[in-house]
Amino acid sequence: MKIPNTSYLLPPNSYLKLALAPLAGVTTLPVREFFSEHGAELTHTEMISCAGLIRDNEKTFDMLKISPREAPLVIQLFAPDEKILIGGAEKIKKLCKKFFAFGINMACPMPKITKNHCGSALLKKPETAFNMVKELKNFNLPVWVKIRKLENESDTLKFIETLTNAGADNICIHGRTAAQRYEGQADKNIVGLAAKNFPTLISASGDVKTVDDINEYFSYGCVCVMLARGAIANPFLFEEYHGIFRDNYERIEILINFAKRAKELSGEHKALVAMKRFAGSIIKFSQGSAEKRKLACMSTSLDEIIKILRG
């Protein structure tokens, strides 16, 4: 088993307002490091399987590697119950000495997760959710929970109350139901209602594509806004919120430096996958963008996609 890097940055005194949301297969070490250096005040790991940690799965432990260049980190866990959750958390505490918080994913709607009674399947099990938060609080670290809205407002608020009674320090609400997955529009009203009813405890996620979207969530009383697909579509959205605007040439060079760093940390294949996700945000401002986008998607090497971006 490889021992992960434990050189973490601890959170600053100011509150962590703008975060990179957890994204399976996306919020890898180089991606988290990139966003940390370009405006994110908090990051999340991908979903880490507590069952995998208990089994000493090499790939699962590999997801715990952290860079001293990244922002304060929430280690996001998924498990079907408190026993497996705590088993995974104990493994992490033995290996990782400094991180900001534990996160529990109760939001993922994908069948491969929910069929094992994890992710959004827990929205139907409030007693289990309560026990998971309560037991995880014994590690004396903040516990952040990510959920989705339930079918109606009262059930959503009742579930949030269950989590707060168990000791949750922050609850991030994605304004879509599990049945919606990632389709349709996120319901920002339910997020605002929750922020009103549970002040200082609610974070927001869902359809955060612009600075106006970020400010809208803050206007509802949310203490943190988490950028997910909006940040992938525009890797400089964090900076734009902070009033930093760059021309396309500078953005290209920054992303090329990211590609080199990602290759160093994770290898060329993973670096290329990440660059393909980011490339559209640059290419859309270029002449012949449709053709360039197609070529970028078909790229088989970093050198090739870099040439397309600079072309």
Side-chain angles (χ1 to χ4, degrees):
M1 182 195 313
K2 295 179 182 177
I3 303 300
N5 185 342
T6 57
S7 300
Y8 303 96
L9 289 178
L10 294 176
N13 292 329
S14 60
Y15 199 83
L16 306 168
K17 292 179 60 179
L18 209 58
L20 177 65
L23 288 165
V26 177
T27 51
T28 58
L29 171 56
V31 171
R32 297 195 311 267
E33 187 181 86
F34 170 83
F35 282 111
S36 298
E37 295 174 345
H38 293 278
E41 297 162 335
L42 183 77
T43 64
H44 289 76
T45 64
E46 302 174 75
M47 290 195 306
I48 294 175
S49 167
C50 287
L53 293 173
I54 292 170
R55 294 194 304 267
D56 291 335
N57 182 276
E58 184 75 25
K59 290 183 178 180
T60 306
F61 278 102
D62 193 57
M63 295 166 71
L64 292 173
K65 292 180 179 178
I66 311 302
S67 165
R69 291 164 55 174
E70 68 176 299
L73 179 73
V74 177
I75 294 184
Q76 188 193 209
L77 306 174
F78 72 96
D81 56 48
E82 64 272 22
K83 181 179 179 180
I84 294 175
L85 178 73
I86 297 309
E90 287 173 344
K91 291 273 188 175
I92 291 171
K93 284 291 286 183
K94 289 178 181 178
L95 294 174
C96 308
K97 303 303 180 185
K98 295 179 182 178
F99 53 93
F100 171 57
F102 278 120
I104 308 174
N105 184 289
M106 300 185 186
C108 181
M110 303 311 292
K112 67 179 181 179
I113 299 296
T114 58
K115 73 178 181 181
N116 292 316
H117 312 290
C118 302
S120 62
L122 291 166
L123 299 175
K124 298 178 181 179
K125 298 180 177 181
E127 183 176 350
T128 300
F130 176 92
N131 290 334
M132 292 172 81
V133 173
K134 183 179 180 182
E135 292 298 322
L136 200 57
K137 286 290 292 182
N138 290 329
F139 286 85
N140 297 316
L141 282 168
V143 174
W144 286 39
V145 187
K146 191 167 190 290
I147 70 170
R148 284 175 171 255
K149 80 167 190 174
L150 282 79
E151 291 299 331
N152 58 66
E153 290 181 352
S154 61
D155 287 344
T156 303
L157 296 178
K158 186 175 180 180
F159 191 82
I160 293 171
E161 185 176 19
T162 295
L163 299 177
T164 60
N165 288 341
D169 297 278
N170 186 280
I171 300 157
C172 178
I173 307 173
H174 183 112
R176 290 181 175 86
T177 63
Q180 283 182 276
R181 294 193 186 179
Y182 302 99
E183 301 298 324
Q185 289 187 320
D187 180 0
K188 294 182 178 180
N189 291 327
I190 187 61
V191 179
L193 182 63
K196 181 179 179 180
N197 281 270
F198 302 94
T200 76
L201 289 176
I202 303 300
S203 292
S205 179
D207 292 348
V208 187
K209 302 174 183 178
T210 67
V211 171
D212 286 343
D213 292 329
I214 297 170
N215 286 328
E216 183 179 5
Y217 276 127
F218 281 137
S219 73
Y220 295 153
C222 296
V223 294
C224 179
V225 178
M226 299 191 187
L227 280 59
R229 290 182 293 171
I232 304 305
N234 177 8
F236 298 93
L237 181 54
F238 284 98
E239 287 195 341
E240 290 175 8
Y241 176 79
H242 292 299
I244 301 170
F245 299 92
R246 303 179 186 275
D247 61 33
N248 212 41
Y249 172 80
E250 189 176 8
R251 290 183 174 206
I252 288 171
E253 295 306 312
I254 288 172
L255 287 182
I256 289 172
N257 287 334
F258 159 72
K260 294 175 180 177
R261 175 66 172 166
K263 180 180 178 180
E264 175 188 337
L265 292 173
S266 302
E268 175 145 356
H269 174 70
K270 289 185 178 179
L272 180 61
V273 170
M275 279 296 284
K276 286 182 177 182
R277 290 192 176 106
F278 290 155
S281 66
I282 299 298
I283 291 172
K284 66 183 178 182
F285 297 109
S286 305
Q287 188 174 8
S289 60
E291 181 62 22
K292 282 188 175 182
R293 189 186 297 269
K294 181 180 178 181
L295 291 172
C297 289
M298 296 171 61
S299 298
T300 57
S301 71
L302 282 180
D303 287 342
E304 189 176 340
I305 198 168
I306 288 171
K307 184 177 180 181
I308 292 167
L309 290 176
R310 282 178 168 162

